[in-house]
């Protein structure tokens, strides 16, 4: 195959203001700053995880541009707030149409910059379009409330309206693994709720979101209500501590999330952090289904998902049959160049991810785990890997894997599974496989995770059901309407009706 860059791809005409082509035909992207698409001299190279090909360059913004972005969003925060709901809904409908008309550009970019298999890239675009459709529906349900005052002696003769108001400027910092979708799930509810936004996407794969910002601009979002700047981590710290920012919505590693929380000061925080999803397979489970879902949950996008299954706890008495099913299922997951439509597992994001994953696998085998499949890599391509009899002192049982590895441990019974799941420092997702619905419910209630899925792999998907982390997995809940609530605050307006004698007049009418 050709070198993985964008030279064989024609991006839609709508995106022309977003980049220029260098003499070697590498797109040189711009940032959206104070209503203009701006190029900067300092650049960051975006290289493809497929073969390290140069996909594009993007500006390496400094504190100067970060400051300009915040001031622009702050000074223009009323430009989005004053658009009536019907107007905002029209804008998002138009954005959805434009996204779908330009689907091929997004898929091509996601495959090359993030190394996503084509079907995963298509799924990401589809979920973003779905989110554009569903968020306005939930927006209409968030209306605030009216509270009559006559339940307390102190407030008789008064009443209050409790409104939901925008926060001001929302800062969105997003990870590499869903560069379009996760960033969009922060920006769509923030704008709909009437906030202006500053975005800092991952510098590993920032292109898809820059294209999406163009879509929002053309659809009618006031340009200065949305500023998008590219730059490495420390730029995020400058933004994260900025006092003109009212809310920080961050998705990424627990380590960076903790750092940001420690410097953020008095702003609202929404933190979607790391995970360590267990699949608990009980003796009465449908083992075919459990194996299919476990493998899908572990290997989709090479396991680089916060909701990935990254350890399996199977009851001893069915473990041998289950492991055979897993090995059969893994054979269906072809590893290779994600531009080939038959490929289901592409590369990891970069060589340091490969080293980290391999370190976890060799640590496990060094402690006695049995390597049943995979365990090798070439470039950034890590083979789908199955480890059995993994001891509980292996790092892979506790650390986030973010790679295509299925570590299996055998457990005595359901109580041991729950105890092990709850010993994790993470608390994002788990799943349980059983045909006993009462037992499933009991396990779900006892597990300290934000979401427990019964008889399927965890999947945050479009966010139709709310999700989010406990413990080291984060703060807050993400979901279509839930995200809008997190991005608004309550304003209480109290009315004193006593001088108007409203009740006294009503009494007169009864005389
Ligand atoms: P990451 O390294 O923490 O980076 C996330 C974002 O933070 C990137 O934009 C990154 O910018 C920026 N950043 C890095 N250092 C920073 C600093 N000191 N201050 C401010 N910002 C900084 O995470 P990642 O490797 O991209 O993503 C994988 C992680 O995200 C995994 O742990 C995964 O579990 C988690 N995740 C969680 C969820 C969820 O819903 N809970 C969903 C998806 C992913 P640069 O790229 O420029 O360094």
């Amino acid at each position: 195959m050709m070198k993985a860059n964008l030279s064989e791809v024609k991006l839609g005409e709508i995106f022309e203001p977003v980049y220029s082509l260098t003499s070697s035909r590498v797109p040189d992207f711009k940032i959206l700053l104070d209503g203009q698409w701006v190029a900067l001299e300092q650049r960051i190279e975006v290289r493809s995880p497929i073969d390290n090909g140069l996909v594009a360059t993007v500006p390496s913004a400094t504190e100067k541009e970060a400051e300009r972005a915040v001031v622009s969003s702050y000074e223009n925060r009323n430009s989005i707030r004053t658009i009536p709901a019907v107007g905002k809904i029209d804008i998002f409908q138009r954005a959805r149409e434009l996204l779908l008309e330009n689907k091929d550009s997004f898929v091509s970019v996601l495959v090359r910059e993030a190394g996503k298999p084509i079907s995963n890239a298509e799924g990401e675009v589809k979920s973003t379009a779905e989110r554009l459709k569903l968020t306005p529906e939930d927006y209409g349900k968030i209306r605030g409330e009216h509270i009559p005052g006559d339940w307390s002696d102190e407030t008789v003769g008064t009443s209050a309206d409790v409104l939901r108001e925008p926060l001001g400027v929302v800062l969105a910092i997003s990870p590499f693994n869903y560069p379009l979708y996760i960033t969009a799930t922060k920006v769509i509810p923030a704008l709909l709720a009437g906030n202006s936004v500053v975005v800092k996407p991952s510098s590993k794969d920032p292109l898809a979101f820059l294209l999406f910002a163009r879509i929002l601009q053309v659809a009618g979002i006031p340009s200065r209500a949305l500023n998008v700047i590219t730059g490495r981590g420390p730029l995020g710290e400058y933004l994260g501590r900025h006092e003109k920012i009212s809310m920080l919505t961050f998705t990424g590693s627990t380590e960076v999330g903790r750092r940001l929380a420690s410097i953020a000061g008095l702003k609202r925080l929404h933190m979607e952090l790391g995970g360590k999803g267990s699949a608990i397979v009980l003796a009465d489970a449908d083992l075919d289904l459990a194996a299919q879902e476990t493998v899908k949950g572990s290997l989709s996008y090479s396991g680089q998902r916060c909701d990935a299954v990254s350890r399996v706890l199977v009851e001893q008495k069915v473990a041998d049959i289950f492991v055979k099913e897993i090995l059969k299922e893994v054979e269906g997951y072809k590893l290779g160049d994600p531009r080939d439509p038959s490929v289901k597992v592409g590369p990891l994001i970069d060589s340091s991810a490969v080293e980290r994953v391999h370190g976890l696998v060799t640590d496990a085998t060094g402690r006695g785990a049995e390597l049943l499949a995979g365990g090798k890599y070439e470039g950034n391509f890590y083979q789908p890997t199955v480890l059995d009899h993994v001891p509980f002192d292996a790092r892979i049982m506790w650390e986030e894997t973010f790679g295509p590895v299925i570590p299996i441990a055998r457990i005595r019974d359901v109580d041991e599974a729950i105890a092990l799941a709850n010993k994790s420092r993470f608390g994002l997702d788990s799943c349980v496989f059983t045909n006993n619905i009462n037992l499933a419910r009991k396990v779900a209630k006892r597990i300290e995770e934000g979401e427990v899925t019964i008889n399927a792999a965890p999947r945050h998907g479009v966010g139709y059901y709310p999700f989010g982390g406990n413990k080291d997995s984060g703060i807050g809940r993400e979901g279509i309407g839930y995200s809008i609530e997190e991005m608004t605050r309550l304003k209480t307006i109290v009315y004193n009706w006593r001088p108007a004698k409203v009740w006294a007049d009503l009494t007169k009418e009864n005389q």
Side-chain angles (χ1 to χ4, degrees), residues 173-177 182 200-204 231-233 236-237 250-253 256 260 272-275 306 400 402 428 460 467:
I173 301 183
S174 51
F176 79 83
N177 62 337
I182 287 184
K200 195 212 88 62
S202 166
S203 36
K204 289 178 183 139
R232 297 209 189 272
E237 291 202 18
F250 171 81
T251 302
S253 61
V256 174
L260 279 169
E272 292 290 346
L273 310 177
C306 57
E400 189 171 39
F402 243 56
L428 190 59
H460 296 165
F467 66 88

Side-chain angles (χ1 to χ4, degrees), residues 108-274:
S108 301
V109 165
L110 286 168
V111 168
R112 285 159 184 81
E113 69 171 341
K116 293 213 165 194
I118 292 169
S119 57
N120 290 165
E122 285 173 343
E124 186 159 350
V125 178
K126 190 167 162 244
S127 299
T128 308
E130 187 76 352
R131 195 69 183 237
L132 282 164
K133 183 173 112 192
L134 293 176
T135 311
E137 286 177 14
D138 271 12
Y139 177 47
K141 294 182 207 150
I142 296 169
R143 293 168 193 274
E145 62 177 336
H146 171 81
I147 307 181
D150 56 340
W151 286 77
S152 161
D153 288 340
E154 215 175 75
T155 49
V156 170
T158 69
S159 71
D161 288 336
V162 182
L163 314 182
R164 285 224 163 247
E165 293 200 326
L167 299 167
V169 183
V170 171
L171 167 63
I173 301 183
S174 51
F176 79 83
N177 62 337
Y178 288 91
L180 170 64
Y181 175 71
I182 287 184
T183 324
T185 61
K186 297 177 181 306
V187 171
I188 297 166
L191 290 169
L192 259 175
N195 300 287
S196 58
V197 186
V198 175
V199 183
K200 195 212 88 62
S202 166
S203 36
K204 289 178 183 139
D205 49 12
L207 309 179
F209 190 77
L210 288 167
L211 300 184
F212 187 66
R214 173 68 183 153
I215 295 269
L216 291 177
Q217 186 186 39
V218 174
I221 291 294
S223 279
R224 291 179 174 82
L226 174 65
N227 282 277
V228 186
I229 53 171
T230 48
R232 297 209 189 272
L235 192 69
E237 291 202 18
Y238 179 83
L239 292 164
R241 58 161 70 89
H242 204 294
E243 288 183 357
K244 286 197 163 61
I245 303 273
S246 301
M247 176 180 183
L248 163 59
T249 167
F250 171 81
T251 302
S253 61
T254 300
E255 289 61 36
V256 174
R258 272 190 188 285
R259 167 81 191 135
L260 279 169
S262 73
I263 61 171
L266 292 179
K267 48 179 70 78
R268 189 173 293 183
L269 295 179
H270 184 165
M271 297 270 162
E272 292 290 346
L273 310 177

Side-chain angles (χ1 to χ4, degrees), residues 261-311:
S262 73
I263 61 171
L266 292 179
K267 48 179 70 78
R268 189 173 293 183
L269 295 179
H270 184 165
M271 297 270 162
E272 292 290 346
L273 310 177
K276 186 75 200 167
S278 304
I280 298 174
V281 182
L282 300 180
D284 71 335
D286 175 338
L287 295 181
D288 280 355
L289 173 78
Q292 276 162 25
E293 288 291 318
T294 299
V295 172
K296 186 170 75 181
S298 306
L299 301 187
S300 177
Y301 189 38
S302 307
Q304 299 176 111
R305 299 173 1 261
C306 57
D307 57 1
V309 169
S310 63
R311 61 178 185 176

